[in-house]
Amino acid sequence: MTLEDTHGQEPMPETSDSSTSSSAPSGSRMQSAGKALHELLVSSQRRGCLTAGVYESAKLMNVDPDTVAFCLLAADEEDEGDIALQIHFTLIQAFCCENDIDIVRVSDIQKLASIVGASEEAGEPRDLHCILITNPNEDAWKDPALEKLNLFCEESRNVNDWVPNITLPE
């Protein structure tokens, strides 16, 4: 199947008789996912289950991939031209797909920085291009926001959107 084939299949559900009803839930579905992502980031940071940075995330995934529960990739428009970052994103996406880790993209690093903090405790700027949510013990933490995001990712994969974009709430 080619890229054109997958993009050709996506509009098909929208052209059905329920096109007006299917577009409204997708907007609310997207808002719900953004709100759930915000809640997940706040709660996982509070619990110490958040790893930020492309290098730190790759290191963690290499050492202990079973603890990774969710992955977020973030890039602003100016980052889209950064070839090295895009290569890192491709490798991280492949790893996540191989290990059944749900993954989403966010296009507003400023909002992300306002949620998780733009700098480390030492005052150094934080790399927010990749954020992993970890779960050291599978039974220890059942976050409803994580469950919502897992469902959102599953529904997105059903329509061939393997790495869905989420808009964070204002």
Side-chain angles (χ1 to χ4, degrees), residues 104-121:
V104 297
R105 286 189 84 137
V106 172
S107 60
D108 193 342
I109 291 186
Q110 297 299 335
K111 282 185 191 174
L112 192 58
S114 70
I115 296 169
V116 298
S119 60
E120 298 286 341
E121 291 176 13

Side-chain angles (χ1 to χ4, degrees), residues 105-153:
R105 286 189 84 137
V106 172
S107 60
D108 193 342
I109 291 186
Q110 297 299 335
K111 282 185 191 174
L112 192 58
S114 70
I115 296 169
V116 298
S119 60
E120 298 286 341
E121 291 176 13
E124 301 244 347
R126 200 175 209 182
D127 175 12
L128 298 177
H129 289 105
C130 182
I131 294 178
L132 297 180
I133 308 300
T134 57
N135 194 3
N137 182 355
E138 278 187 35
D139 298 327
W141 185 42
K142 299 289 184 195
D143 191 303
L146 179 60
E147 291 175 13
K148 285 181 190 176
L149 286 167
N150 291 143
L151 181 61
F152 174 80
C153 289

